[in-house]
Amino acid sequence: MTTTLPTSVPSDVTHRVGRHQVSLLRRLLKQPSAAAALTVVVALVLIALAAPLITWAAGTSPTEFHSDAVDPALGGLPRGTAGGISTTHWLGVEPGSGRDILARVVYGARVSLLIAMLATGLSVVLGTALGLAAGYFGGWTDALVGRLMDLLMSFPSLIFMIALISAAPGVDRQLLLVVVLGFFGWPYVGRIVRGQAMVLARGEFVAAARVLGASRRVLLVREVLPNVTGPILVVATMAIPSCIATEAGLSFLGVGVAPPTPSWGQMIASAVPWYAADPVYFLIPGVFLFVTVLAFNVLGDAIQDALDPRSRRR
């Protein structure tokens, strides 16, 4: 997942970044799959932001028990058909507890997207800073950062996450997930930024700015950084679904988001014993998780294609 850059970049390229961002959006909207993925992503973000309003309109909450919506004679199965879907509970209720599935799904989207975006933001900040330093300065800085990236990328991060979260029961799990996911995610950003920075640092426009007396900080921030935003955007877009899937997997295993906070992975785990009798409860969070991960992956691929000059010529 790399973007080919020329060894010599025109001196006015930084001033065209804003126009490139607008043209990038136009190219994405011209692709049906990219436009659909972007629509889904925007809709999911709006659903997450409007979760309190949605649950208020539905007249329920993600932690409220509705004992009248389940049938004790049937072992706690929802009353009615399709998992208890009705005008009161638009997506049905949880077996046993009677909690509203719609409320838990929209709040689950809020939790998953918040954790994924914050973790991705942390990994992008760390990866960009360290990758720029390694690629631009080279030498011992590059060697040190490179070995650290190799170490973290070869480390069994999932096992470490499970062990760390299990060993810290009193810590805010959502915050811990953000820190752990962001810490183990930055080497993937750093490696790509490092490669791009190495090419850009040898470009003529950087050499010209250096001759004119620009400091290293100015060269990094004003000349090199704006020209690596494309690869960073691609990596960040692809990292978000990875974080969402990892959080869901950890919650499924019981070491992710702690109850009663809703999580899609947690809902899927609690639906496993009921999947034969109430498949709707198992299906709904699974579909939301699948569609979310797919939409971000398709959007990331589309952004990469839009930024790749070779794909524009096809």
Side-chain angles (χ1 to χ4, degrees), residues 66-88:
H66 301 275
S67 56
D68 59 326
V70 296
D71 190 348
L74 296 177
L77 283 174
R79 300 180 186 273
T81 59
I85 293 178
S86 64
T87 54
T88 305

Side-chain angles (χ1 to χ4, degrees), residues 171-202:
V171 179
D172 186 336
R173 286 194 179 181
Q174 295 185 54
L175 177 60
L176 188 58
L177 283 169
V178 169
V179 173
V180 173
L181 290 172
F183 178 73
F184 281 103
W186 77 260
Y188 300 92
V189 181
R191 174 163 289 188
I192 292 178
V193 172
R194 170 186 172 272
Q196 301 292 346
M198 290 178 66
V199 175
L200 291 167
R202 294 167 176 81

Side-chain angles (χ1 to χ4, degrees), residues 214-226:
S215 64
R216 287 181 171 180
R217 184 184 66 82
V218 171
L219 289 174
L220 280 172
V221 175
R222 298 186 61 181
E223 303 295 339
V224 178
L225 179 59

Side-chain angles (χ1 to χ4, degrees), residues 8 14 32 39 47 75 99-100 112 136 153 185 227 232 235 263 269 287 306:
S8 177
T14 302
T39 301
I47 287 173
R99 290 182 295 191
D100 187 81
S112 295
Y136 183 83
M153 293 178 73
N227 293 288
I232 292 173
V235 177
S263 166
V287 168

Side-chain angles (χ1 to χ4, degrees), residues 15-106:
H15 304 290
R16 299 201 301 266
V17 171
R19 294 200 301 272
H20 284 171
Q21 292 173 345
V22 175
S23 63
L24 171 62
L25 180 60
R26 289 175 179 171
R27 287 194 297 272
L28 289 177
L29 294 177
K30 289 180 180 178
Q31 303 179 44
S33 60
L38 182 60
T39 301
V40 171
V41 168
V42 171
L44 287 168
V45 171
L46 292 177
I47 287 173
L49 292 175
L53 181 61
I54 294 172
T55 54
W56 172 81
T60 185
S61 75
T63 57
E64 183 179 356
F65 292 87
H66 301 275
S67 56
D68 59 326
V70 296
D71 190 348
L74 296 177
L77 283 174
R79 300 180 186 273
T81 59
I85 293 178
S86 64
T87 54
T88 305
H89 304 287
W90 301 345
L91 293 181
V93 297
E94 281 187 346
S97 66
R99 290 182 295 191
D100 187 81
I101 293 179
L102 173 65
R104 295 187 65 77
V105 162
V106 296

